[in-house]
Amino acid sequence: MTNQPSTGPSNPDLGQQQKDVRSPMEAHGSYRGSDWSPERLVFHQNLETFADQVGLIVGLQANGKMSQDEAYASIKKIWKNLKFTRDSLFDNTKG
C-alpha cells in the first residue's frame, strides 16, 4: 500500500486534507511585530510573496528552465514592485 491518499470516494478524510493544503503563493506566516498596523501586515504578506517568487525563479534557473539574465531581470522586476508597495504603504509616515 502506498502513502498517497486515495482520491476515490472510499476516503472520507480527503475533503479535510484538501482544506489543509495551501497554494504555494499563499502567505504562510502571520506578522507578529510589536508595531503592528494594517500597512505592516500588507507589506509582510508582500514580502513573503516576494521571497516565494524569488525561490521559484532561482529553482527555474538552477534547473535550466531560465537563463541567469532572465532570472536577474525577473527578480529585479519583482523587487521594484516590492519597493513601490513599501513606498506607497509608508509614504505618509515619512516626515
Side-chain angles (χ1 to χ4, degrees), residues 11-18:
N11 189 349
D13 295 329
L14 184 59
Q16 180 61 34
Q17 289 173 353
Q18 288 176 342

Side-chain angles (χ1 to χ4, degrees), residues 50-60 75:
F50 171 79
D52 290 341
Q53 289 174 343
V54 168
L56 291 171
I57 291 167
V58 169
L60 288 170
I75 292 171

Side-chain angles (χ1 to χ4, degrees), residues 69-81:
D69 292 336
E70 291 171 320
Y72 176 80
S74 296
I75 292 171
K76 186 176 179 180
K77 180 180 176 183
I78 62 175
W79 172 255
K80 286 182 179 184
N81 290 339

Side-chain angles (χ1 to χ4, degrees), residues 31-50:
Y31 181 73
R32 300 186 193 278
S34 60
D35 54 350
W36 185 91
S37 71
E39 293 83 8
R40 291 191 182 277
L41 177 63
V42 169
F43 182 70
H44 173 77
Q45 291 171 338
N46 290 343
L47 190 59
E48 280 190 340
T49 300
F50 171 79

